[in-house]
PDB file of all heavy atoms in Angstrom:
ATOM      1  N   THR A 270     144.395 131.196 111.750  1.00 94.00           N
ATOM      2  CA  THR A 270     143.709 130.199 112.564  1.00 94.00           C
ATOM      3  C   THR A 270     142.205 130.480 112.554  1.00 94.00           C
ATOM      4  O   THR A 270     141.768 131.621 112.731  1.00 94.00           O
ATOM      5  CB  THR A 270     144.244 130.229 114.001  1.00 94.00           C
ATOM      6  OG1 THR A 270     145.660 129.967 113.974  1.00 94.00           O
ATOM      7  CG2 THR A 270     143.550 129.195 114.859  1.00 94.00           C
ATOM      8  N   CYS A 271     141.405 129.415 112.400  1.00 95.00           N
ATOM      9  CA  CYS A 271     139.948 129.547 112.358  1.00 95.00           C
ATOM     10  C   CYS A 271     139.249 128.894 113.551  1.00 95.00           C
ATOM     11  O   CYS A 271     138.094 129.234 113.839  1.00 95.00           O
ATOM     12  CB  CYS A 271     139.403 128.929 111.068  1.00 95.00           C
ATOM     13  SG  CYS A 271     139.985 129.738 109.568  1.00 95.00           S
ATOM     14  N   SER A 272     139.909 127.965 114.251  1.00 96.00           N
ATOM     15  CA  SER A 272     139.268 127.298 115.394  1.00 96.00           C
ATOM     16  C   SER A 272     140.345 126.739 116.310  1.00 96.00           C
ATOM     17  O   SER A 272     141.442 126.376 115.855  1.00 96.00           O
ATOM     18  CB  SER A 272     138.327 126.175 114.931  1.00 96.00           C
ATOM     19  OG  SER A 272     139.025 125.233 114.147  1.00 96.00           O
ATOM     20  N   LEU A 273     139.987 126.670 117.619  1.00 96.00           N
ATOM     21  CA  LEU A 273     140.866 126.121 118.651  1.00 96.00           C
ATOM     22  C   LEU A 273     140.045 125.232 119.568  1.00 96.00           C
ATOM     23  O   LEU A 273     138.889 125.553 119.887  1.00 96.00           O
ATOM     24  CB  LEU A 273     141.525 127.240 119.471  1.00 96.00           C
ATOM     25  CG  LEU A 273     142.451 128.221 118.737  1.00 96.00           C
ATOM     26  CD1 LEU A 273     142.844 129.356 119.663  1.00 96.00           C
ATOM     27  CD2 LEU A 273     143.691 127.502 118.216  1.00 96.00           C
ATOM     28  N   SER A 274     140.664 124.129 120.024  1.00 96.00           N
ATOM     29  CA  SER A 274     139.974 123.238 120.954  1.00 96.00           C
ATOM     30  C   SER A 274     140.991 122.421 121.730  1.00 96.00           C
ATOM     31  O   SER A 274     141.860 121.760 121.129  1.00 96.00           O
ATOM     32  CB  SER A 274     139.021 122.303 120.202  1.00 96.00           C
ATOM     33  OG  SER A 274     138.339 121.459 121.104  1.00 96.00           O
ATOM     34  N   TRP A 275     140.902 122.471 123.070  1.00 95.00           N
ATOM     35  CA  TRP A 275     141.794 121.694 123.939  1.00 95.00           C
ATOM     36  C   TRP A 275     141.248 120.283 124.093  1.00 95.00           C
ATOM     37  O   TRP A 275     140.039 120.061 124.143  1.00 95.00           O
ATOM     38  CB  TRP A 275     141.885 122.338 125.321  1.00 95.00           C
ATOM     39  CG  TRP A 275     142.694 123.598 125.392  1.00 95.00           C
ATOM     40  CD1 TRP A 275     142.224 124.867 125.359  1.00 95.00           C
ATOM     41  CD2 TRP A 275     144.105 123.708 125.526  1.00 95.00           C
ATOM     42  NE1 TRP A 275     143.255 125.763 125.462  1.00 95.00           N
ATOM     43  CE2 TRP A 275     144.430 125.079 125.557  1.00 95.00           C
ATOM     44  CE3 TRP A 275     145.159 122.774 125.600  1.00 95.00           C
ATOM     45  CZ2 TRP A 275     145.732 125.549 125.682  1.00 95.00           C
ATOM     46  CZ3 TRP A 275     146.454 123.242 125.731  1.00 95.00           C
ATOM     47  CH2 TRP A 275     146.733 124.609 125.764  1.00 95.00           C
ATOM     48  N   ILE A 276     142.166 119.331 124.213  1.00 93.00           N
ATOM     49  CA  ILE A 276     141.777 117.975 124.558  1.00 93.00           C
ATOM     50  C   ILE A 276     141.278 117.960 125.993  1.00 93.00           C
ATOM     51  O   ILE A 276     141.640 118.814 126.811  1.00 93.00           O
ATOM     52  CB  ILE A 276     142.968 117.003 124.361  1.00 93.00           C
ATOM     53  CG1 ILE A 276     142.478 115.554 124.331  1.00 93.00           C
ATOM     54  CG2 ILE A 276     144.032 117.200 125.428  1.00 93.00           C
ATOM     55  CD1 ILE A 276     143.547 114.556 123.912  1.00 93.00           C
ATOM     56  N   SER A 277     140.399 117.010 126.317  1.00 88.00           N
ATOM     57  CA  SER A 277     139.786 116.995 127.653  1.00 88.00           C
ATOM     58  C   SER A 277     140.809 116.782 128.756  1.00 88.00           C
ATOM     59  O   SER A 277     140.637 117.284 129.872  1.00 88.00           O
ATOM     60  CB  SER A 277     138.714 115.898 127.718  1.00 88.00           C
ATOM     61  OG  SER A 277     139.286 114.638 127.415  1.00 88.00           O
ATOM     62  N   GLU A 278     141.877 116.061 128.487  1.00 86.00           N
ATOM     63  CA  GLU A 278     142.928 115.819 129.470  1.00 86.00           C
ATOM     64  C   GLU A 278     144.285 116.047 128.809  1.00 86.00           C
ATOM     65  O   GLU A 278     144.549 115.535 127.726  1.00 86.00           O
ATOM     66  CB  GLU A 278     142.862 114.388 130.010  1.00 86.00           C
ATOM     67  CG  GLU A 278     141.552 114.066 130.726  1.00 86.00           C
ATOM     68  CD  GLU A 278     141.452 112.598 131.065  1.00 86.00           C
ATOM     69  OE1 GLU A 278     142.382 111.843 130.660  1.00 86.00           O
ATOM     70  OE2 GLU A 278     140.481 112.196 131.709  1.00 86.00           O
ATOM     71  N   GLY A 279     145.114 116.811 129.467  1.00 85.00           N
ATOM     72  CA  GLY A 279     146.444 117.037 128.932  1.00 85.00           C
ATOM     73  C   GLY A 279     146.603 118.408 128.321  1.00 85.00           C
ATOM     74  O   GLY A 279     145.775 119.305 128.510  1.00 85.00           O
ATOM     75  N   HIS A 280     147.699 118.591 127.610  1.00 91.00           N
ATOM     76  CA  HIS A 280     148.089 119.895 127.081  1.00 91.00           C
ATOM     77  C   HIS A 280     148.162 119.878 125.560  1.00 91.00           C
ATOM     78  O   HIS A 280     148.987 120.556 124.955  1.00 91.00           O
ATOM     79  CB  HIS A 280     149.456 120.297 127.666  1.00 91.00           C
ATOM     80  CG  HIS A 280     150.468 119.187 127.641  1.00 91.00           C
ATOM     81  ND1 HIS A 280     151.166 118.833 126.500  1.00 91.00           N
ATOM     82  CD2 HIS A 280     150.870 118.339 128.623  1.00 91.00           C
ATOM     83  CE1 HIS A 280     151.973 117.820 126.782  1.00 91.00           C
ATOM     84  NE2 HIS A 280     151.827 117.507 128.060  1.00 91.00           N
ATOM     85  N   ILE A 281     147.300 119.076 124.923  1.00 94.00           N
ATOM     86  CA  ILE A 281     147.260 119.001 123.461  1.00 94.00           C
ATOM     87  C   ILE A 281     146.181 119.967 122.952  1.00 94.00           C
ATOM     88  O   ILE A 281     145.032 119.939 123.399  1.00 94.00           O
ATOM     89  CB  ILE A 281     146.968 117.573 122.975  1.00 94.00           C
ATOM     90  CG1 ILE A 281     148.013 116.605 123.543  1.00 94.00           C
ATOM     91  CG2 ILE A 281     146.947 117.527 121.454  1.00 94.00           C
ATOM     92  CD1 ILE A 281     149.428 116.918 123.139  1.00 94.00           C
ATOM     93  N   LEU A 282     146.556 120.813 122.008  1.00 96.00           N
ATOM     94  CA  LEU A 282     145.644 121.796 121.432  1.00 96.00           C
ATOM     95  C   LEU A 282     145.453 121.478 119.953  1.00 96.00           C
ATOM     96  O   LEU A 282     146.424 121.323 119.209  1.00 96.00           O
ATOM     97  CB  LEU A 282     146.213 123.211 121.589  1.00 96.00           C
ATOM     98  CG  LEU A 282     145.390 124.348 120.978  1.00 96.00           C
ATOM     99  CD1 LEU A 282     144.063 124.495 121.712  1.00 96.00           C
ATOM    100  CD2 LEU A 282     146.176 125.656 121.010  1.00 96.00           C
ATOM    101  N   ALA A 283     144.162 121.384 119.550  1.00 96.00           N
ATOM    102  CA  ALA A 283     143.829 121.187 118.136  1.00 96.00           C
ATOM    103  C   ALA A 283     143.566 122.536 117.500  1.00 96.00           C
ATOM    104  O   ALA A 283     142.865 123.382 118.083  1.00 96.00           O
ATOM    105  CB  ALA A 283     142.602 120.286 118.000  1.00 96.00           C
ATOM    106  N   VAL A 284     144.132 122.734 116.309  1.00 96.00           N
ATOM    107  CA  VAL A 284     144.036 124.015 115.617  1.00 96.00           C
ATOM    108  C   VAL A 284     143.489 123.770 114.221  1.00 96.00           C
ATOM    109  O   VAL A 284     144.041 122.952 113.454  1.00 96.00           O
ATOM    110  CB  VAL A 284     145.418 124.715 115.536  1.00 96.00           C
ATOM    111  CG1 VAL A 284     145.290 126.044 114.803  1.00 96.00           C
ATOM    112  CG2 VAL A 284     146.003 124.908 116.927  1.00 96.00           C
ATOM    113  N   GLY A 285     142.384 124.454 113.875  1.00 96.00           N
ATOM    114  CA  GLY A 285     141.846 124.403 112.523  1.00 96.00           C
ATOM    115  C   GLY A 285     142.285 125.626 111.746  1.00 96.00           C
ATOM    116  O   GLY A 285     142.226 126.756 112.245  1.00 96.00           O
TER     117      GLY A 285
END
Side-chain angles (χ1 to χ4, degrees):
T270 301
C271 297
S272 57
L273 298 172
S274 181
W275 286 98
I276 196 170
S277 58
E278 299 172 356
H280 45 79
I281 303 300
L282 178 66
V284 180

